[in-house]
């Protein structure tokens, strides 16, 4: 039995991540260069781990259409939350964060 005329189409939906990246890009321009570099390093780390965005594929067998949706990962949401709330210490590696917290606690106890 020959099957002819079967087509498969793909669409990509970036509507969940594009506005987030646009806002983050705009915020980076206004940050101190050291903080902006820290943000970029965190994003690079997520890219290396292949954990920047989450891909969700929806397939409709009736029309043979596959839609790929991109959503921000928890790591990316954490980075953007730290930037937008100006909690830059959240971007530091955990060992440095512990040092910052210990230093702040020491200052507060004086």
């Amino acid at each position: 039995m020959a099957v002819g005329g079967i087509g498969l189409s793909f669409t990509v939906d970036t509507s969940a991540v594009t506005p987030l990246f646009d806002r983050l890009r705009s915020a980076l321009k206004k940050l101190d260069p050291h903080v902006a570099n820290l943000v970029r390093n965190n994003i690079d780390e997520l890219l290396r781990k292949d954990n920047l965005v989450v891909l969700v594929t929806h397939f409709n067998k009736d029309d043979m259409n596959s839609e790929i949706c991109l959503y921000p990962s928890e790591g990316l949401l954490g980075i953007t939350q730290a930037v937008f709330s100006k909690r830059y210490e959240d971007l530091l590696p955990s060992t440095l964060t512990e040092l910052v917290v210990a230093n702040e606690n020491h200052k507060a106890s004086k």
Side-chain angles (χ1 to χ4, degrees), residues 38-77:
L38 184 60
V39 172
R40 288 186 189 95
N41 288 340
N42 277 272
I43 290 173
D44 286 343
E45 184 65 26
L46 289 178
L47 279 170
R48 277 193 291 281
K49 293 178 179 177
D50 196 26
N51 193 23
L52 186 63
V53 293
V54 176
L55 301 173
V56 177
T57 304
H58 304 282
F59 182 73
N60 184 341
K61 63 183 176 183
D62 295 332
D63 65 0
M64 298 298 283
N65 180 46
S66 184
E67 181 180 30
I68 301 167
C69 300
L70 302 176
Y71 297 100
S73 68
E74 287 185 39
L76 179 58
L77 289 174

Side-chain angles (χ1 to χ4, degrees), residues 63-98:
D63 65 0
M64 298 298 283
N65 180 46
S66 184
E67 181 180 30
I68 301 167
C69 300
L70 302 176
Y71 297 100
S73 68
E74 287 185 39
L76 179 58
L77 289 174
I79 291 169
T80 55
Q81 184 177 14
V83 170
F84 298 145
S85 65
K86 297 181 178 167
R87 292 188 43 90
Y88 307 124
E89 64 273 6
D90 292 350
L91 300 170
L92 296 170
S94 60
T95 52
L96 286 176
T97 302
E98 292 167 9

